[in-house]
Amino acid sequence: MMSRDEEFMRVALMLAREAKEAGEVPVGAVVVYNGEIIASAKNRREGNRCATAHAELLAIEQACAVRGGWRLFGCELYVTLEPCVMCAGAAINARLDRVIFGTPDLRFGALGSLVDINSLGLNHKLRITGGVLEEECRAILQEFFRERR
């Protein structure tokens, strides 16, 4: 039986596959509130020609619109790759309750791999769960970069 975290991560993986097909780094993200997806996005940096068009930021922006404000109390962010400093900072600023990621990012990860933004003494702490469907999340990224070389 699939866990709740795996169920939502599978949706994020589907979005990552769509990003890959569009020539984007395959990262997908969903925001969940009360057990339902309220926002979803995939990387759009190439398509939008914008450095900040990460899946996490786009999903957080959508969730803010749905919830009618910038505070996303009670919301969880599911993302296939550990968020970078920019995206982890946005998750904290949005007051997300929890971030669940698939595979760690040893080069840019800001929730424990490279740095741990949660340890900075900020006024909000995220609950973090890493490694959900890690192998599948890692495989799609490895495949993408292998094909690019």
Side-chain angles (χ1 to χ4, degrees):
M1 192 158 117
M2 193 173 5
S3 76
R4 180 177 173 269
D5 284 350
E6 289 173 342
E7 175 186 340
F8 292 124
M9 190 61 73
R10 289 218 181 275
V11 176
L13 268 165
M14 179 196 67
L15 292 161
R17 286 194 228 5
E18 290 176 9
K20 181 179 180 276
E21 290 171 15
E24 302 279 353
V25 174
V27 177
V30 297
V31 177
V32 174
Y33 179 71
N34 284 338
E36 293 192 25
I37 295 172
I38 62 167
S40 62
K42 55 189 172 257
N43 266 1
R44 297 270 313 136
R45 290 192 310 174
E46 300 299 330
N48 289 8
R49 294 186 173 145
C50 179
T52 62
H54 289 206
E56 302 96 307
L57 294 183
L58 297 171
I60 288 170
E61 186 177 320
Q62 283 179 25
C64 289
V66 168
R67 299 282 297 139
W70 63 270
R71 292 177 188 89
L72 297 178
F73 294 122
C75 293
E76 299 172 315
L77 173 67
Y78 288 81
V79 61
T80 55
L81 178 65
E82 179 183 359
C84 68
V85 171
M86 175 177 66
C87 294
I92 288 172
N93 278 298
R95 308 301 195 263
L96 288 165
D97 283 359
R98 184 171 170 235
V99 174
I100 303 90
F101 65 85
T103 190
D105 186 346
L106 301 177
R107 292 182 58 219
F108 295 102
L111 296 178
S113 291
L114 178 66
V115 296
D116 183 4
I117 200 166
N118 245 354
S119 69
L120 296 179
L122 301 171
N123 69 341
H124 182 74
K125 296 274 188 228
L126 300 166
R127 288 184 296 127
I128 309 297
T129 302
V132 176
L133 301 179
E134 180 175 348
E135 290 185 25
E136 291 176 57
C137 293
R138 182 184 312 115
I140 191 171
L141 286 158
Q142 288 174 335
E143 181 180 303
F144 174 80
F145 287 111
R146 191 170 35 250
E147 290 172 2
R148 298 292 251 191
R149 292 183 187 126

